[in-house]
């Protein structure tokens, strides 16, 4: 496991990190996005999708739980579990099958889904500072560590 902290001075810096992270997304990768409301989790996902060449609208899945994207050759699923009151709700909602070896899963509020959620390859924890953000970037697997190196994030 490797971990670094990066200062994000403004929204453009968050977007830059998102574009860099897009090269780390491959089939089977799960990315957890932690941090309070307004920390920049959705902003990061939007920039990742743009970095992959997706030109459409990226809506927050706050109400829909999941938004799906096909950005050839990737199948991406963007989740937001903020509204869950019970950690089993994502299973009851039928979301378990989205986490498979063919998909890329980007999860906001993974802590609301409890222990049954598959372990992430990568975690980005965004901390709110007065007019900026601090990103704590953790690679949990050797594969994600080398992809972060290749993306010049580590
Ligand atoms: P979340 O999904 O974590 O609730 P959003 O991405 O919806 O957060 O909103 C993040 C907000 O913070 C946006 O208003 C965005 O402009 C702003 N923001 C993003 N990155 C930064 C940054 N590095 N510094 C200051 N503001 C930022
Ligand atoms: Mg969000």
């Amino acid at each position: 496991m490797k971990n670094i902290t990066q200062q994000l001075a403004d929204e453009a810096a968050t977007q830059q990190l998102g574009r860099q992270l897009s090269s780390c997304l491959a089939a089977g990768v799960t990315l957890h996005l932690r941090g309070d409301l307004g920390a920049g989790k959705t902003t990061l996902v939007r920039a990742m999708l743009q970095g992959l060449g997706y030109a459409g609208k990226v809506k927050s899945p706050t109400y829909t739980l999941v938004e799906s994207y096909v950005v050839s050759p990737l199948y991406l699923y963007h989740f937001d579990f903020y509204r869950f009151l019970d950690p089993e709700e994502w299973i009851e909602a039928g979301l378990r099958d989205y986490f498979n070896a063919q998909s890329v899963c980007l999860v906001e509020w993974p802590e609301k889904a409890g222990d049954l959620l598959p372990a992430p390859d990568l975690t980005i924890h965004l901390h709110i500072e007065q007019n900026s953000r601090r990103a704590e970037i953790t690679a949990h697997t050797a594969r994600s560590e080398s992809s972060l190196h290749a993306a010049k994030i580590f």
Side-chain angles (χ1 to χ4, degrees):
M1 182 173 105
K2 188 171 169 179
N3 181 281
I4 61 146
T5 295
Q6 191 174 312
Q7 285 301 135
L8 302 170
D10 51 22
E11 185 177 9
T14 304
Q15 291 165 339
Q16 165 67 20
L17 174 62
R19 285 193 297 272
Q20 279 179 283
L21 280 168
S22 63
S23 66
C24 303
L25 303 178
V29 168
T30 294
L31 168 64
H32 284 187
L33 293 152
R34 293 176 171 264
D36 287 341
L37 281 177
K41 303 179 293 299
T42 300
T43 303
L44 209 51
V45 170
R46 218 166 256 139
M48 284 188 254
L49 281 159
Q50 282 164 358
L52 291 170
Y54 181 76
K57 204 164 142 51
V58 177
K59 285 192 297 174
S60 174
T62 311
Y63 297 100
T64 52
L65 297 180
V66 59
E67 292 288 336
S68 306
Y69 302 91
V70 181
V71 189
S72 184
L74 301 176
Y75 293 87
L76 294 107
Y77 302 100
H78 177 201
F79 303 90
D80 186 336
F81 295 156
Y82 179 67
R83 283 149 41 86
F84 285 173
L85 301 174
D86 182 304
E88 309 258 306
E89 271 184 70
W90 69 282
I91 294 173
E92 286 153 20
L95 300 181
R96 202 206 291 258
D97 290 348
Y98 285 83
F99 292 83
N100 64 61
Q102 278 74 50
S103 63
V104 178
C105 291
L106 311 170
V107 188
E108 297 188 38
W109 296 100
E111 59 270 49
K112 300 264 188 176
D115 296 341
L116 293 176
L117 196 67
D121 297 280
L122 289 166
T123 299
I124 314 291
H125 193 153
L126 294 165
H127 301 269
I128 298 182
E129 302 190 328
Q130 230 163 19
N131 291 308
S132 66
R133 305 289 186 263
R134 178 166 46 86
E136 223 185 302
I137 303 163
T138 307
H140 304 280
T141 59
R143 170 164 98 143
S144 61
E145 186 175 329
S146 66
S147 71
L148 286 170
H149 270 293
K152 308 219 182 325
I153 294 171
F154 277 174

